């Protein structure tokens, strides 16, 4: 099963360019393939990546281990995890940009996921 993940366009671009090799999340996912939905103003599914590993740890430990790979500055990182005791680092394997971006309707969806959404039969 695949998961469709909402990602800000700047971070989606970093992932697809191979610069950002870790995606930070608050909860683990139950998939090893992620479809990237670039949020506003793009509003399209622009690519995909594989998840090599999920590391669950404290925000401080995640920052220490992955700050060079996350494409985010320290202030924004800790603001994201402000009240969280733990977080997740999704270690990215292969990232592929789709030759043509796709609308959500291509996946039978009317609106983007808040964070992520599992796609049945994909």
């Amino acid at each position: 099963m695949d998961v469709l993940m909402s990602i800000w366009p700047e971070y989606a671009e970093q992932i697809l360019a191979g610069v950002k090799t870790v995606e930070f999340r608050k909860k683990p996912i139950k998939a090893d393939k992620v479809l990237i939905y670039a949020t506003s103003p793009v509003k399209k599914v622009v690519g995909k990546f594989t998840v090599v590993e999920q590391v669950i740890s404290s925000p401080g430990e995640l920052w220490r281990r992955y700050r060079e790979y996350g494409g985010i500055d320290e202030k924004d990182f800790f603001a994201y995890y402000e009240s969280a005791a733990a977080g997740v680092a999704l270690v990215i394997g292969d990232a592929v940009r789709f030759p043509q971006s796709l609308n959500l309707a291509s996946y039978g969806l009317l609106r983007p996921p808040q964070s992520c959404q599992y796609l049945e039969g994909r």
Side-chain angles (χ1 to χ4, degrees):
M1 181 179 333
D2 295 346
V3 64
L4 178 68
M5 189 174 285
S6 291
I7 299 177
W8 290 2
E10 68 181 280
Y11 298 129
E13 184 55 39
Q14 288 179 23
I15 289 169
L16 294 171
V19 175
K20 178 178 170 64
T21 57
V22 171
E23 172 66 11
F24 296 111
R25 290 286 154 159
K26 292 182 180 170
K27 296 180 180 179
I29 60 171
K30 296 175 184 167
D32 59 2
K33 189 166 98 176
V34 174
L35 296 169
I36 302 168
Y37 174 79
T39 60
S40 185
V42 177
K43 298 182 181 179
K44 300 262 187 182
V45 180
V46 296
K48 64 183 178 179
F49 66 84
T50 57
V51 178
V52 175
E53 179 182 13
Q54 294 187 64
V55 179
I56 302 170
S57 193
S58 69
E61 179 62 16
L62 292 177
W63 179 253
R64 187 187 70 73
R65 288 180 65 183
Y66 298 109
R67 66 178 165 236
E68 296 176 33
Y69 310 103
I72 187 171
D73 67 35
E74 185 174 10
K75 178 183 171 198
D76 290 341
F77 176 88
F78 283 104
Y80 177 67
Y81 286 117
E82 183 177 6
S83 59
V88 180
L90 303 176
V91 179
I92 297 169
D94 295 328
V96 176
R97 182 185 308 273
F98 292 157
Q100 182 175 345
S101 299
L102 302 169
N103 292 317
L104 288 173
S106 301
Y107 297 92
L109 300 174
L110 299 174
R111 66 179 95 158
Q114 187 75 6
S115 176
C116 66
Q117 179 173 343
Y118 293 94
L119 301 173
E120 297 293 330
R122 295 230 178 234

